[in-house]
Structure formats: C-alpha cells, structure tokens
Amino acid sequence: MESKPIFIGRHAEQSQLQEAMDSGKAEFVAVFGRRRVGKTYLVKQFFGNKFDFYATGIYGASIKEQLANFTRQLNQQSKVTYPQAADWWEAFDNLRSHLSTIKRRHITVFIDEMPWMDTPNSRFISALELFWNSWAADQPRLKLVVCGSATTWMTNKLIGGRGGLHNRVTRRIHLHPFTLAETEEFLARSGFVWNRYTITELYMIMGGVPFYLGLLNKRQTFHQNINRLFFNPQGDLIAEYDILFSSLFKDSSAYQRVVEALNRKARGLTRMEIQEITGMQGGGLTEVLRNLENCDFIRRYNAFGKLQRDAMFQLVDQYTLFYLHFRREFNSGNPDYWSANMESAGHRAWSGYAFEQVCLRHIPQIKRALGISGVNSEVCAWSGSGGQIDLIINRNDQVINLCEMKYTSAPFKLTKAYYEKMSSRRELFREQTRTRKALHLTLVTTYPLSHTQYSEMIPSIVTLDDLFVD
C-alpha cells in the first residue's frame, strides 16, 4: 500500500486496519461509535480513498432508492453496466461479479452507513449473510470494511447478530472521541493558538468530537465561537441534539428519556432509579443502556465495595451535558450569552462538574502521572453518610487514591479549611468502608498549587499538563 497520511491519534485503530490488510485471510471489519466521531474519515484516509468498491447508505431513503444508488455506484466504479438490481440478493451478486475480476493483491470494499441500507422488509441482512458466507469469506484477498452511526443496528444486527452473521465480523473497531492531547493537536494543525486552560474548557463543552471541533473559527475568540455555535439563533450545534439521537438510535425518544433522567443527578443513577423515572424496564432498558455506553454517552461504574448488579450509570458526553444544562431551556435571546455569564454561579457549578467528567475520560493519564500505570486497579466512586468521593483508584498494591478534582482559573491555594475537609473525608471513608489499605489524598487540578503550609501535605498532585500527555 502507499504511505499513509498523517493522522491525529487513532494509533490502535490504524494498527487494526493494517493487521486486517496483512492477515492473509478474508476480513470483515466493523467500525462503530458516536455520530461525528470520524469513522468515515478514518477509513477513507487509511485507504487513501481508494477502494475496489465504495457505497454509502442514504438516510431515510426507500429500498428502491437504496438499490438504485448501490447499482449506480457499482456501474461507475466497475465500468460495466449492470442492470438495476431488483433486490439485495441481485445487488450483492453483481458486486461479487465485479470483485471476481480484480487481480490485485488486495480487494478492498467499503460500505458506509450500512444500517441505512437495511430498510423495512428489504431482507438486506439475509442478502449480506449469503454474500459473505457463500463467497466473500473464502476470498483471502478480500477486506470488507463497514461502518454506521446507527449503533443499535451495528451492535445488534451485525456485531451481535444471532443469524447467519453470528461471529462473522472479524474485527470490531470502536472509535472514541479525541483525548485532550489529540484535541490540542487538531487545533494546532488548524491554526489555533489557544492555551491548555482554554482547550480544556472547550473540551468541557464539546468533548473530543472532531466534527464539532471542525466548526470552530480561528479568527474568533473561544467565547465568540461558543456564542456563535450555541446561542446565535442560527448556531450550528443547536439542532444537533435531536439529530444526534435520531441518527444513532431507532427509538430515539427512549434514549433521550434515559439521558435526561441521568442529567438530573450528577453522580448518576442505579438501574432501579432509571426505571422509576422513565418507566422503562426489562430487555428494552438493557439495550438502551448498552447502546448509550457503546456510543460514549454514559459510563457504567461501581460504587466502592458494591457488586456489579449495583452499578451506577452516569451521563458523561460533554456536548449533551452542556446542551441540557445551558441550551435546551435557553430563552434569554442574548447571542452573547456565554461571554456575559462567565462569572455566574451557574457557570461555576457547571465547570466543576464538567471538569470532573474530563478527568474521568483521562484515567490512563492520571494513573501515568501518579506512576501507577502498571498497577492493576479499579476505578470507582463512593457515597457514604456525610460525604462522597467521585474518583477513587483502588489499587492492588494496597493503596487507594482518593481523588479531589478542582477546576480553577489560577493556581489553587490550599487553605487549612480545605485541607481539613479532605482529611475529614478520608477518615470518614476509612471508618465507613473499614478498609485497611493506605489512603492517599490526591488532587487533580488545573495548575500546580500555590505554595502554602498545607500544599506539601497532599502527596499526589495531577495538573492539566499531565492530562494532556498522549
């Protein structure tokens, strides 16, 4: 293959694609993840946008329109005039005829937005099963890559399907949003000169979603960009909330009910609490929670000392959190709202919680800064009588890091009162959990601490610079 373009991040995903190319066997690669996260971009850039066949599904199109588009793409790329396919069996037969003529070392096929091709009563999955099982799986040169934003379809019908495609997908690539380091690199390559504090606040609003980052204007300040995208009547990210869920999930209203229930409580909810608020239960709720987790909207975690069945579910998608907190009920009509409210109590409350979510997305970086990357550990939280700790790293080396996350615009001054608060919470945790492990107070904050008589009494400090390590 030709030399690859320079990517931002995506190292593990590129390795999986390269391993598929070099495997010497037929490969069926499924790429899935949150909308706007860069699935199509990854595949096209890796292959240099050169495929022996490429087609994409059309959102909301009929089976007739989908088949016509598929046939049109096949005719253009094969230079052969195949008749209009009457159904998906005939469409895949025509594709097989085309691919059988290719003599190169690799045969690469990319079908984008595959879930949209599976219209009601189209029997698309049955035709795909026959194509793969009767011919494609026996072609060691063939590399079939498919992706789609409709996560329920990708995980239930393709990856987790129980029919003829059961266990046929050879590689699963779950594409996640950028980290802070990758976001910084993206912005630098786009000509932005923002500092890490500004980039972190941007991440608290948008997360590391490449498409959203691509909407930024380098000629505007950070605050001007947020005003334009969210609070201007024509803002590009105002309608995104409803589009986001309708494109990802078949029953989008059910997913929005769960997300909006989770938005009520910062620490998250148990499954029973979600049931009580939404009225959903059984397998339907299980599927919604699983798919929200697969799309990086929520995280599942255990409270310290609790069993798996007592897991908590927490909303962690930065865009969704920001939208529900500030934009959904926005009625001031002020297009400069964000700039005008930077010092408000609402902004301060939101920023503290949003920074916690950024930290939770960067646990590997926190562990690296603490020098414990190689130590097996469990990340959890604790809520007891009289206090709670949102990030606990319970290590197998008989140490527990009790993490306090503090977002400030200047170096944090650790006062006697704040140190005593942290110490009191540590002793409360020790008393109520009866742990015998050593308890290390850990502070995750924006800048190194201002020097006080108490700053040396916190053994572990993690700063923004640590979170930006790739």
Side-chain angles (χ1 to χ4, degrees), residues 27-29 107 109-111 128 131-132 142-146:
E27 294 278 358
F28 192 159
V29 183
I107 303 172
V109 176
F110 179 33
I111 301 180
L128 177 62
F131 169 75
W132 181 259
L142 179 63
K143 315 298 175 180
L144 171 62
V145 182
V146 305

Side-chain angles (χ1 to χ4, degrees), residues 14-288:
Q14 292 179 72
S15 294
Q16 290 187 67
L17 289 172
Q18 190 61 56
E19 288 170 4
M21 293 301 293
D22 298 338
S23 70
K25 63 178 182 179
E27 294 278 358
F28 192 159
V29 183
V31 183
F32 66 102
R34 183 196 193 283
R35 169 180 161 89
R36 310 295 205 187
V37 81
K39 300 181 293 294
T40 301
Y41 180 85
L42 169 69
V43 177
K44 285 187 173 182
Q45 290 300 305
F46 179 86
F47 288 99
N49 214 16
K50 295 179 180 178
F51 305 100
D52 294 298
F53 177 69
Y54 165 75
T56 184
I58 305 172
Y59 181 71
S62 67
I63 180 175
K64 183 178 180 180
E65 292 167 328
Q66 302 284 4
L67 286 166
N69 177 62
F70 191 94
T71 300
R72 183 167 54 251
Q73 293 299 318
L74 182 59
N75 288 345
Q76 290 174 356
Q77 296 169 52
S78 69
K79 311 301 183 186
V80 175
T81 302
Y82 289 95
Q84 173 64 48
D87 52 38
W88 282 113
W89 281 275
E90 187 175 342
F92 280 110
D93 277 345
N94 293 339
L95 176 60
R96 178 175 63 181
S97 296
H98 164 55
L99 298 179
S100 297
T101 67
I102 296 170
K103 306 302 181 184
R104 287 186 291 276
R105 177 187 173 195
H106 294 128
I107 303 172
T108 56
V109 176
F110 179 33
I111 301 180
D112 197 6
E113 296 298 358
M114 180 177 271
W116 294 347
M117 295 180 175
D118 186 24
T119 55
N121 303 315
S122 67
R123 303 295 303 278
F124 176 85
I125 282 289
S126 297
L128 177 62
E129 288 175 358
L130 183 64
F131 169 75
W132 181 259
N133 293 331
S134 67
W135 181 77
D138 296 322
Q139 309 303 311
R141 296 183 296 132
L142 179 63
K143 315 298 175 180
L144 171 62
V145 182
V146 305
C147 75
S149 294
T151 303
T152 49
W153 192 96
M154 293 292 290
T155 56
N156 295 347
K157 287 195 173 184
L158 189 65
I159 297 173
R162 295 299 177 187
L165 286 179
H166 180 60
N167 283 336
R168 295 301 190 267
V169 171
T170 58
R171 298 177 195 270
R172 302 161 180 80
I173 298 179
H174 183 178
L175 200 61
H176 300 282
F178 284 156
T179 62
L180 279 169
E182 292 164 346
T183 300
E184 181 180 46
E185 184 181 353
F186 180 97
L187 293 174
R189 290 193 185 179
S190 302
F192 290 83
V193 289
W194 293 349
N195 62 27
R196 286 181 168 179
Y197 181 86
T198 301
I199 293 172
T200 301
E201 184 142 359
L202 173 71
Y203 199 95
M204 288 156 55
I205 295 171
M206 294 184 176
V209 179
F211 180 83
Y212 300 163
L213 299 175
L215 297 174
L216 297 167
N217 185 338
K218 66 181 177 182
R219 291 185 293 274
Q220 293 182 326
T221 67
F222 163 68
H223 298 116
Q224 288 172 334
N225 271 287
I226 301 305
N227 286 330
R228 173 176 57 84
L229 293 172
F230 285 93
F231 301 104
N232 185 292
Q234 286 78 44
D236 289 327
L237 290 178
I238 295 173
E240 172 70 5
Y241 179 73
D242 290 322
I243 297 171
L244 182 60
F245 287 91
S246 62
S247 66
L248 284 171
F249 310 115
K250 186 176 181 180
D251 183 7
S252 60
S253 62
Y255 289 83
Q256 287 176 287
R257 286 206 308 275
V258 171
V259 162
E260 289 162 19
L262 291 172
N263 187 54
R264 297 185 185 185
K265 201 164 186 179
R267 72 174 179 87
L269 300 170
T270 64
R271 181 189 174 98
M272 185 62 68
E273 290 170 328
I274 297 171
Q275 288 182 190
E276 292 172 356
I277 295 172
T278 64
M280 299 170 61
Q281 56 186 338
L285 179 57
T286 298
E287 181 178 333
V288 167

Side-chain angles (χ1 to χ4, degrees), residues 273-436:
E273 290 170 328
I274 297 171
Q275 288 182 190
E276 292 172 356
I277 295 172
T278 64
M280 299 170 61
Q281 56 186 338
L285 179 57
T286 298
E287 181 178 333
V288 167
L289 292 172
R290 181 177 63 247
N291 289 327
L292 285 171
E293 191 173 2
N294 283 336
C295 281
D296 298 302
F297 282 98
I298 68 173
R299 74 168 182 131
R300 178 200 304 258
Y301 73 94
N302 290 335
F304 185 86
K306 296 292 186 179
L307 300 175
Q308 185 68 29
R309 65 172 179 267
D310 300 314
M312 302 287 293
F313 298 89
Q314 184 182 41
L315 179 60
V316 296
D317 180 70
Q318 274 83 15
Y319 166 82
T320 304
L321 285 164
F322 182 81
Y323 180 89
L324 293 175
H325 194 95
F326 288 105
R327 191 57 183 82
R328 193 179 191 205
E329 305 300 331
F330 176 72
N331 55 18
S332 77
N334 180 7
D336 298 319
Y337 174 84
W338 192 243
S339 301
N341 286 272
M342 290 304 298
E343 302 302 323
S344 68
H347 178 274
R348 288 193 296 272
W350 164 81
S351 62
Y353 178 68
F355 181 64
E356 290 179 7
Q357 301 311 309
V358 173
C359 294
L360 291 171
R361 283 193 178 272
H362 291 78
I363 296 299
Q365 287 80 4
I366 292 174
K367 292 179 66 176
R368 186 181 299 122
L370 296 173
I372 58 171
S373 294
V375 179
N376 288 334
S377 59
E378 174 194 14
V379 175
C380 53
W382 172 78
S383 180
S385 176
Q388 74 177 53
I389 303 171
D390 293 319
L391 175 56
I392 293 172
I393 304 177
N394 184 13
R395 296 153 49 177
N396 282 9
D397 60 358
Q398 297 304 303
V399 175
I400 297 176
N401 290 90
L402 306 179
C403 300
E404 176 85 2
M405 293 165 280
K406 193 72 177 175
Y407 187 69
T408 61
S409 59
F412 180 55
K413 186 176 181 180
L414 187 62
T415 63
K416 177 182 178 181
Y418 203 93
Y419 174 73
E420 289 179 346
K421 175 185 174 182
M422 292 180 69
S423 299
S424 175
R425 192 179 298 152
R426 175 184 59 193
E427 297 314 310
L428 195 66
F429 177 83
R430 189 193 309 276
E431 176 185 341
Q432 294 188 17
T433 64
R434 298 183 180 180
T435 183
R436 294 184 178 181

